[in-house]
Amino acid sequence: MILVDGVERFTTDGGGIRPLDIDPSEVESVSVLKDAAATAVFGVKGANGVIMITTKRGKIGKPTLSFESIFSASTISKIPPVLGSYEGNYLKNLAIEHELPVDENSWGDFVPQEILGFYRDQTYPELYPDVDWTDEFTNDYAFSQKYNMNVSGGTEFVKYFVSLGYQHEGDILATQDFGQGYDPDFKYDRYNFRSNLDFDLTKTTRFSVNLAGYYGQQQRPAGDKWNFWKGLYGRPPDLYPVRYSDGTFADYEGFDRFENSVSRLNFGGLENENRSEINTDFFLNQDLSFITEGLSVGVKVSYDNRFNTLGPDINDDGVLEKYINPDILYAQTAEDSAQNIILKYPGGFVNQSHGYNFVDVPNSRQAERAQNNIYRALYYEARVNYVRDFGKHGVTLLGLFNRRESVTGSNFTNFREDWVGRFTYNFDKRYFLEVNGAYNGSEKFGGVTQVEEGFATESYRFGFFPSFAGGWTLSN
């Protein structure tokens, strides 16, 4: 559970988990609650712990302007190395020689010394290649940039904090425009804004308004963007070159488990996902010390709106590929040479039997479009606080009610309701006692689970979660 300024902010999006898109420059403090007593007031929602984020606020004084710029570079710490073509085939030969007494069939996989020399000397690099697929797939560094500008200050009546931020995240994967008209690189750009205002309407009344949000655009290849790991770890260095000298990418249908992942990654198209979110919070706190010292009440209303769009995208059906069989070295005629060059066509172009020449289909573009996952959440809360010391005795009381109504797209609305109470006592800041109780409800559970003689006798829509804690501060 994550709270930002006391309001729960969800990190689920479309059934998955996404990062909380908040600029660290806006954050004043972060607290993590893990023990049962601390999280009991959050009921079942706090079972896995609670992260409480408090954003910065303005202070009385002249306007203060700050600007921050961060440029960073990251690199891969370690990738397990693989043997080259010569070393791998040389060791394979040794293994075959040692197993011949028990398996004569393995002699057919023995690599002749002449071909080993081709691998070692790279005499024919397009026929007997030595490809470092890790180097082909990755850049030496991935670069990131972050910029942030904050303005804060205030008077006796109003205090303000305003923040604007931009962040760019590059990627370590090596993608480029090989002539397809786009670079399908992984990247993420995000723009953040925040405005926190505190109005002291009277000496005992404070009204606060938070307005925050972001716009993020994630770009990624539309092609084989998940299986590139197979290319990184599972491609033999002697399979085929990445590209031939004429610019054609290499691939062979006979190697069904060893597709050219470089061409799949770069010629599969491009897709964008855009995320926008606006959060509004309104807080009203009234000090009632004129009734009794330490008493206060507060109300809170929050409304969140998040929506996603897809696009603009680029659709690409692939690229023409070929494979040159090493037997072409021994071809006697032009016809023999042609038989050792195997073409692999993209899209719906199956073969040459129809008599037409291959023409690559132009890429198509898809406009930006909305997703049916607009998320809206309304949260409202009322609480009563009492904090007072009587000599060496300290007492606090909390009574709180909140309700959350959230909906995604055209689905049914989800409801969460909490009734919370807390009592704490300490003697001389030495001995401590704490009692908590949370009564949590959700519409996801049945309202009536058992009926006897026409009366409901049991319901699991609400659950009660109590806790008790005691402490002793040895230093006191």
Side-chain angles (χ1 to χ4, degrees):
M1 183 179 184
I2 300 177
L3 301 177
V4 180
D5 290 330
V7 179
E8 184 177 4
R9 307 296 188 198
F10 284 97
T11 57
T12 57
D13 191 7
I17 301 297
R18 66 176 179 85
L20 191 66
D21 287 286
I22 185 171
D23 192 333
S25 299
E26 303 172 2
V27 176
E28 179 72 28
S29 64
V30 178
S31 301
V32 180
L33 308 180
K34 289 294 293 183
D35 66 279
T39 61
V41 295
F42 302 102
V44 67
K45 295 183 294 183
N48 291 323
V50 179
I51 299 176
M52 304 179 65
I53 300 175
T54 302
T55 61
K56 297 178 180 178
R57 312 202 74 83
K59 299 178 181 179
I60 296 177
K62 295 181 178 180
T64 301
L65 174 66
S66 63
F67 180 79
E68 178 184 50
S69 175
I70 298 176
F71 182 84
S72 62
S74 57
T75 186
I76 299 175
S77 58
K78 184 178 182 181
I79 291 182
V82 296
L83 295 175
S85 298
Y86 171 75
E87 294 83 359
N89 283 287
Y90 174 77
L91 293 176
K92 182 178 72 173
N93 283 352
L94 289 180
I96 291 174
E97 292 174 0
H98 284 82
E99 73 175 6
L100 280 177
V102 295
D103 186 6
E104 295 183 357
N105 294 326
S106 62
W107 188 253
D109 296 322
F110 191 88
V111 180
Q113 292 297 319
E114 180 186 26
I115 294 179
L116 278 180
F118 291 160
Y119 283 125
R120 181 191 60 217
D121 302 331
Q122 285 296 282
T123 310
Y124 304 103
E126 294 189 351
L127 304 179
Y128 299 99
D130 185 13
V131 179
D132 185 347
W133 289 99
T134 300
D135 184 63
E136 295 290 341
F137 261 104
T138 58
N139 296 314
D140 294 332
Y141 299 95
F143 298 101
S144 301
Q145 306 170 52
K146 180 178 180 295
Y147 305 94
N148 178 266
M149 182 177 65
N150 295 337
V151 179
S152 63
T155 64
E156 293 289 344
F157 176 69
V158 60
K159 293 176 279 292
Y160 55 89
F161 171 82
V162 179
S163 176
L164 295 174
Y166 166 73
Q167 183 170 353
H168 168 80
E169 289 289 340
D171 193 73
I172 202 72
L173 289 182
T175 59
Q176 60 176 300
D177 184 354
F178 289 99
Q180 70 269 35
Y182 60 91
D183 182 359
D185 59 330
F186 289 89
K187 64 179 181 179
Y188 182 59
D189 293 282
R190 188 186 69 197
Y191 303 85
N192 286 78
F193 70 91
R194 173 171 291 277
S195 172
N196 291 347
L197 303 175
D198 298 311
F199 298 92
D200 290 322
L201 304 180
T202 69
K203 292 183 178 180
T204 60
T205 307
R206 169 168 290 187
F207 178 63
S208 300
V209 179
N210 296 345
L211 177 62
Y214 75 92
Y215 171 77
Q217 183 180 62
Q218 181 180 6
Q219 176 182 292
R220 55 181 177 261
D224 194 0
K225 53 184 173 292
W226 309 121
N227 292 328
F228 71 88
W229 290 109
K230 297 179 181 179
L232 204 59
Y233 289 105
R235 296 293 181 269
D238 59 348
L239 189 62
Y240 43 63
V242 178
R243 301 175 73 190
Y244 290 105
S245 56
D246 62 357
T248 306
F249 278 84
D251 201 358
Y252 179 41
E253 291 182 353
F255 301 148
D256 57 337
R257 295 187 299 114
F258 301 125
E259 291 184 333
N260 190 332
S261 297
V262 173
S263 65
R264 296 297 181 277
L265 186 67
N266 286 277
F267 287 86
L270 176 68
E271 60 185 21
N272 286 283
E273 180 180 355
N274 313 292
R275 296 195 292 264
S276 301
E277 183 170 346
I278 297 178
N279 309 130
T280 53
D281 305 323
F282 301 93
F283 310 91
L284 180 63
N285 188 76
Q286 178 64 53
D287 186 356
L288 299 179
S289 294
F290 59 88
I291 298 177
T292 181
E293 183 181 347
L295 181 65
S296 65
V297 295
V299 294
K300 181 185 300 183
V301 177
S302 175
Y303 184 76
D304 297 345
N305 189 298
R306 182 174 71 241
F307 54 96
N308 295 1
T309 62
L310 296 177
D313 299 338
I314 298 177
N315 301 318
D316 192 343
D317 67 344
V319 65
L320 174 67
E321 298 165 321
K322 71 179 180 180
Y323 174 69
I324 302 178
N325 193 317
D327 292 341
I328 198 173
L329 286 176
Y330 312 104
Q332 300 296 322
T333 65
E335 183 179 355
D336 292 340
S337 298
Q339 290 179 351
N340 285 287
I341 300 177
I342 304 171
L343 299 178
K344 184 177 181 181
Y345 297 96
F349 193 95
V350 180
N351 52 48
Q352 294 176 320
S353 61
H354 45 60
Y356 293 100
N357 294 328
F358 169 75
V359 177
D360 192 14
V361 178
N363 298 333
S364 62
R365 297 180 180 271
Q366 193 170 7
E368 186 173 359
R369 59 210 178 274
Q371 288 184 298
N372 186 30
N373 62 350
I374 299 177
Y375 174 82
R376 305 174 299 280
L378 174 64
Y379 173 86
Y380 42 95
E381 171 188 302
R383 57 177 173 79
V384 178
N385 273 328
Y386 180 68
V387 181
R388 190 168 181 179
D389 291 332
F390 301 91
K392 294 184 177 181
H393 305 275
V395 177
T396 70
L397 289 170
L398 168 67
L400 183 144
F401 161 80
N402 67 57
R403 185 180 178 94
R404 186 182 189 92
E405 304 173 9
S406 60
V407 61
T408 300
S410 57
N411 297 329
F412 290 108
T413 303
N414 298 320
F415 296 91
R416 293 293 300 265
E417 186 172 300
D418 303 318
W419 298 80
V420 177
R422 166 176 281 179
F423 167 77
T424 68
Y425 167 79
N426 76 83
F427 174 74
D428 199 22
K429 301 293 192 276
R430 184 183 305 174
Y431 306 106
F432 298 86
L433 173 67
E434 183 174 318
V435 180
N436 301 287
Y439 191 57
N440 306 132
S442 170
E443 101 293 342
K444 289 183 173 23
F445 301 99
V448 176
T449 59
Q450 184 175 342
V451 178
E452 293 181 3
E453 298 180 357
F455 295 96
T457 60
E458 192 173 4
S459 172
Y460 290 115
R461 176 157 290 180
F462 280 83
F464 181 61
F465 301 89
S467 73
F468 308 90
W472 175 26
T473 303
L474 297 178
S475 60
N476 292 343

